[in-house]
Each structure stands twice: as structure tokens, then as C-alpha cells.
């Protein structure tokens, strides 16, 4: 491979890293955006972004240099990681602080910056490819750049409407953000419908469906947050919730799963919004030892521990001590750790 081809491959890998980061960003933004024209635009562009990544990957293959993560990291690490850290957060964590309307607006402004970066990336790639006589790469880059320019224009047209929503919520007190209509809530409803259908066939099938859904990292928290947004006190895992003091509630939080913690968090924010309760929830919310862990019985956890994974045993022991604190599970974890 000559020097000109090597440089084209470098730029293609940078473009691929950018598309992969943008895919994660769009998924996160869709998850917290209510139904409407802006979310429709994000969903359309997510499909385009996946197509862009596939096209860039095929071009790399044609040049004899398939997708090379190491080259991508060298050429584009700061931008890709920066995008992921700035925008690719768990969507309902972003709802803390200012209201949902303002978070959607801030995401839209960030999306403008992201699209501008994409446009610059493909402008540079097209010019480079033309300069070294690679017309196929140049044509592809120009086509993808046109999609990014179209998306930037669409977001800019949405900014005034999103700003008006912020004014309604934060100035006139007429909020419009509805967590039950977001992409995450829709996904939870879809999963719930699938579970209901499975339940009609057999109860065991329904349980397997629910557990499979919750084994996807992040789904448990999003499900709990969405349910908590519309829950009553009677729907919470802590009995007589509204009659308890903040201290009484915080004493019980350690027993809850990540789903139930998220439900309580959302309910508390809609009602008394007590700092002591919310701070304790924040300290407990975190990754399970593995996705779906909270759905398992003590016996099932002990079976998993018997596989002899020392790192897993340490994670289980630490998690159990701050959460359910099941003596049998902790002893099994300690035993596996000492035997490793």
C-alpha cells in the first residue's frame, strides 16, 4: 500500500470511528426524547448512520484494509471518546437537575456540534481522496456529507420549537415533557407487551422473556425509571412509602434491586424530592455484577459462582454487602474467592 492509500485508509478509519460513536449518541438521545418530529428525525438519522458505517467499512475492505480499531483509536480517539462521554450517558440520568424539556434542547445543541464534526470529517476525506485520485472514496464521502448537512439543517429547524418547550416548562409552568412517551418508555412497553404475549403461552416463558430483556445492560434502570414516572406509592417495593420518614426509607433502600431503586428515585422526585433519600439512592445505584443479576434467586447466584471466577466472586460480595446482603450469597462468594 502506497503513501496516498495509507492516508485515505487513515481518514476512512477516523470516519468509521465517528459513525460508531454517533450511533451510540443517537441511541441515547432517542431514549430520552418524546415522540414527535425531533425524535422521528433522530430515528431516521440513526438508520442513516448505521448505513454510513457499513459503507465506510466496505470501502476499507475494498482497499484491502478492513476496519482496524487500532488505527481508528490512533487517528480519532479523542473525538470519539469525547462524543461518547459528552452525549452517550444513560438517558434518564440526564433528567436529574433541570427539566426534561431543557435536557432535550441541550442534546439538540450538542447534536448540532456532532453533525458539524461529521461534515468536517467527510469534507476532509473527500478532498483528500480527490487529490490522490481515489474517486470512489471521494464520491462516497460527498454522499455521506450531504446526509449530515441535511440532518444539521433539520436539527436547526427544531431548535426554536424545543426552546419554546423550555419556556413553557421553566418560565410559564406549563411543562410538556412526558417521560412515558420517550424512546426508552416505548421500548419498555414493547418489552412488556412481548412478555404478556409469552405469559399467555406459559408462565415460565414469560419469566424467561423478562429476564432476557433485563440482561441487556441499562435496561433494568430505564425500565424502573419509566415505571416510577407513572407509579403510585402502592406500586413501590417499600410498603407504606408515603407514611415513612426519610430515615426509615433510606434504611430500606439497600434491599432493593436496581429496577426498584430507579422506580423509587423517579417517584420521590415527582413528590417530596428529599435530598437524603435521593442521595442514598444515588450511592446505591450502579452496575450489577452482571446484567440481570437482580433477577436471580440466591440459589441461582450461588450456581453462577460455582464456576470459579474470582473476579465475579469479588463483585458479587461487594454488591451484596451494600444491597440485599444475603448471607448465603456472601458466604458463597467468599468461599469461591478463597478457593481461586
Amino acid at each position: 500500500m502506497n503513501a496516498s492509500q495509507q492516508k485515505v485508509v487513515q481518514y476512512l478509519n477516523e470516519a468509521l470511528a465517528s459513525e460508531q460513536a454517533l450511533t451510540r449518541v443517537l441511541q441515547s438521545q432517542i431514549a430520552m426524547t418524546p415522540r414527535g418530529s425531533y425524535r422521528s428525525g433522530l430515528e431516521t438519522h440513526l438508520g442513516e448512520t448505521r448505513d454510513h458505517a457499513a459503507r465506510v467499512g466496505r470501502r476499507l475492505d475494498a482497499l484491502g484494509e478492513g476496519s482496524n480499531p487500532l488505527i481508528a483509536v490512533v487517528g480519532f480517539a479523542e473525538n470519539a471518546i469525547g462524543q461518547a462521554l459528552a452525549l452517550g450517558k444513560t438517558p434518564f440520568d440526564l433528567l436529574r437537575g433541570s427539566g426534561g424539556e431543557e435536557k432535550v434542547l441541550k442534546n439538540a445543541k450538542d447534536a448540532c456540534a456532532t453533525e458539524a464534526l461529521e461534515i468536517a470529517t467527510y469534507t476532509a476525506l473527500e478532498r483528500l481522496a480527490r487529490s490522490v485520485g481515489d474517486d470512489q472514496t471521494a464520491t462516497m464521502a460527498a454522499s455521506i456529507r450531504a446526509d449530515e448537512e441535511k440532518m444539521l439543517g433539520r436539527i436547526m429547524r427544531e431548535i426554536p420549537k424545543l426552546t419554546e418547550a423550555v419556556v413553557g416548562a421553566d418560565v410559564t409552568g406549563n411543562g410538556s415533557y412526558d417521560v412515558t412517551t420517550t424512546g426508552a418508555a416505548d421500548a419498555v412497553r414493547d418489552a412488556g407487551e412481548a412478555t404478556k404475549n409469552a405469559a399467555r403461552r406459559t408462565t415460565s416463558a414469560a419469566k424467561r422473556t423478562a429476564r432476557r430483556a433485563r440482561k441487556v445492560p441499562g435496561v433494568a434502570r430505564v425500565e424502573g425509571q419509566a415505571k416510577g414516572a407513572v407509579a403510585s406509592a402502592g406500586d413501590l417495593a417499600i410498603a407504606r412509602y408515603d407514611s415513612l420518614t426519610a430515615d426509615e426509607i433510606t434504611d430500606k433502600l439497600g434491599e432493593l434491586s436496581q429496577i426498584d431503586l430507579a422506580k423509587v428515585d423517579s417517584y420521590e422526585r415527582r413528590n417530596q424530592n428529599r435530598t437524603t433519600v435521593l442521595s442514598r439512592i444515588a450511592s446505591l445505584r450502579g452496575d450489577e455484577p452482571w446484567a440481570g443479576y437482580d433477577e436471580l434467586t440466591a440459589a441461582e447466584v450461588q450456581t453462577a459462582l460455582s464456576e470459579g471466577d474470582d473476579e465475579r466472586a469479588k463483585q458479587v460480595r461487594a454488591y451484596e454487602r451494600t444491597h440485599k446482603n444475603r448471607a448465603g450469597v456472601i458466604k458463597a462468594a467468599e468461599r469461591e474467592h478463597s478457593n481461586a
Side-chain angles (χ1 to χ4, degrees):
M1 184 180 295
N2 58 37
S4 62
Q5 273 191 319
Q6 288 178 344
K7 185 56 69 174
V8 169
V9 165
Q10 176 192 329
Y11 277 40
L12 282 168
N13 271 294
E14 292 174 1
L16 182 58
S18 178
E19 298 293 357
Q20 291 169 339
L22 182 56
T23 296
R24 295 189 294 273
V25 168
L26 289 169
Q27 289 171 327
S28 178
Q29 292 196 356
I30 289 167
M32 74 166 295
T33 303
R35 287 190 292 271
S37 58
Y38 182 47
R39 191 172 113 194
S40 295
L42 293 175
E43 290 171 337
T44 297
H45 196 50
L46 176 59
E48 291 175 340
T49 300
R50 287 169 170 158
D51 178 64
H52 296 165
R55 291 168 65 186
V56 172
R58 288 194 296 270
R59 187 63 193 141
L60 280 165
D61 289 340
L63 292 173
E65 181 68 28
S67 174
N68 187 334
L70 292 178
I71 294 178
V73 168
V74 171
F76 201 63
E78 291 186 0
N79 284 330
I81 294 173
Q83 287 180 5
L85 291 177
L87 302 174
K89 300 176 183 178
T90 303
F92 285 100
D93 281 347
L94 295 175
L95 292 178
R96 297 181 176 183
S98 57
E101 291 89 350
E102 189 163 41
K103 289 300 183 182
V104 174
L105 174 60
K106 288 181 178 180
N107 276 353
K109 292 191 291 183
D110 287 336
C112 288
T114 302
E115 290 304 318
L117 176 59
E118 291 277 286
I119 291 167
T121 296
Y122 285 106
T123 297
L125 177 58
E126 180 190 6
R127 177 57 63 91
L128 170 65
R130 296 268 185 224
S131 298
V132 300
D134 185 348
D135 290 339
Q136 283 184 272
T137 298
T139 300
M140 179 198 70
S143 172
I144 294 177
R145 188 189 68 238
D147 287 342
E148 307 297 353
E149 290 171 340
K150 181 179 178 181
M151 183 58 183
L152 177 57
R154 184 167 189 171
I155 298 170
M156 290 299 297
R157 291 191 296 273
E158 293 286 342
I159 294 290
K161 292 186 287 185
L162 298 176
T163 305
E164 286 298 322
V166 173
V167 173
D170 296 352
V171 179
T172 66
N174 185 26
S176 60
Y177 188 88
D178 184 356
V179 71
T180 66
T181 66
T182 62
D186 286 349
V188 169
R189 276 191 292 274
D190 290 344
E193 194 60 38
T195 301
K196 288 179 183 178
N197 292 335
R200 293 188 186 104
R201 292 188 293 271
T202 64
T203 301
S204 60
K207 291 180 178 179
R208 289 194 300 270
T209 300
R211 288 188 178 184
R212 281 198 298 270
R214 289 166 186 162
K215 286 180 181 178
V216 178
V219 165
R221 180 179 295 188
V222 170
E223 178 181 344
Q225 203 81 44
K227 288 181 176 178
V230 295
S232 66
D235 297 323
L236 304 180
I238 297 177
R240 302 179 298 103
Y241 186 90
D242 285 344
S243 66
L244 300 179
T245 66
D247 288 341
E248 289 172 330
I249 291 171
T250 55
D251 287 342
K252 297 177 181 295
L253 290 172
E255 303 169 6
L256 303 188
S257 67
Q258 293 299 316
I259 290 178
D260 288 329
L261 284 171
K263 285 175 66 176
V264 172
D265 180 270
S266 187
Y267 179 84
E268 180 68 29
R269 289 177 187 279
R270 286 193 297 115
N271 291 279
Q272 298 186 58
N273 200 32
R274 290 166 289 190
T275 302
T276 52
V277 174
L278 297 175
S279 296
R280 177 57 176 158
I281 293 173
S283 71
L284 291 169
R285 291 178 72 170
D287 293 335
E288 304 163 76
W290 58 84
Y293 178 91
D294 283 336
E295 295 295 308
L296 301 180
T297 65
E300 288 170 329
V301 173
Q302 291 176 38
T303 298
L305 287 171
S306 67
E307 297 174 3
D309 186 326
D310 181 48
E311 184 61 30
R312 173 176 288 186
K314 289 191 291 185
Q315 292 172 348
V316 167
R317 182 177 58 182
Y319 187 80
E320 281 287 335
R321 283 176 172 171
T322 57
H323 289 80
K324 297 181 180 180
N325 202 29
R326 293 173 290 189
V329 174
I330 293 174
K331 287 181 180 179
E334 291 175 343
R335 182 171 58 252
E336 293 300 327
H337 177 56
S338 63
N339 292 337

